[in-house]
Amino acid sequence: YTLAAVAFSLEGWGSNGIVDWKDGGEDECSWIWGPYDSDEIKCGAFGRVTQIGYDGDLVARGKVPVDVALLSDSLEALYLSNLGFSGRIPTELGMLSELRALILYWNELDGPIPTELGRLTNLEYLELTNNMLSGTIPTELGVLSNLWYLDLHDNKLSGTVPTELGFLSNLEDLWLHDNGLTGSMPAEVCNLRMPNGQLYLLRADCKEEIQCNEGCCNYCY
């Protein structure tokens, strides 16, 4: 049911070389839409869906379907990028307790980043870039201790960078530029930079809007 709900939220099946999802075979675990790892459905040893992936070529009919939350005990990766989804990120995504990768870049998503994403304690990779997300960066993201990649650039985020991001001890890449963030980069975040921590890449709007020295931000926009 969940896979059908996601498929019905997209259009373009059966055109431009894309196989119609209804012709994908009886075993949904073998459905593949394109050449990339993110263009397929994957399942675990017991046939439970662990990945839903659609990346480009198809066009979203509207909002991200909340039905994906029904896979709360199995889904590990959700790729819904470059599809034109609109509206807000469903708060129900916070129920996906096994999720390790959430990638929603290049859509038309707006509104705030749900605080419920802070419940995704297994999350390692979060990419929400190139949308129209607004409001502040949720402090709740600071509890995602397994997160190593966080990309929020090219949105309409405002306010300051929360000090709670300094708790992300495994963070390697942090992209915050092309937003409306202001203030100073918290010392707690700067302390994540190598060799003190794992943070290798920190991009921010530090030419004007954000105060951040070269020892902290290595790419300023």
Side-chain angles (χ1 to χ4, degrees), residues 136-168:
T136 59
I137 299 174
T139 59
E140 287 80 359
L141 297 184
V143 303
L144 302 178
S145 59
N146 291 307
L147 202 66
W148 67 267
Y149 187 94
L150 177 58
D151 189 350
L152 305 177
H153 89 271
D154 203 355
N155 279 290
K156 298 181 179 180
L157 299 173
S158 58
T160 58
V161 179
T163 59
E164 286 80 0
L165 295 187
F167 293 129
L168 302 176

Side-chain angles (χ1 to χ4, degrees), residues 6 10-11 13 16 18 31-41 51-60 78-85 103-107 125 127 129:
V6 175
L10 301 164
E11 56 186 17
W13 299 106
N16 298 320
I18 302 174
W31 292 355
I32 298 176
W33 320 116
Y36 305 107
D37 182 68
S38 57
D39 288 329
E40 60 184 295
I41 303 298
Q51 173 178 301
I52 296 177
Y54 302 94
D55 188 351
D57 296 323
L58 297 168
V59 178
L78 180 61
Y79 301 92
L80 296 177
S81 55
N82 196 24
L83 295 166
F85 277 111
I103 301 177
L104 301 174
Y105 68 79
W106 279 106
N107 283 292
Y125 195 105
E127 187 169 6
T129 181

Side-chain angles (χ1 to χ4, degrees), residues 53 65 92 130 132 137 161 175 216:
E92 289 85 353
N130 292 100
M132 298 180 288
I137 299 174
V161 179
W175 300 44
C216 181

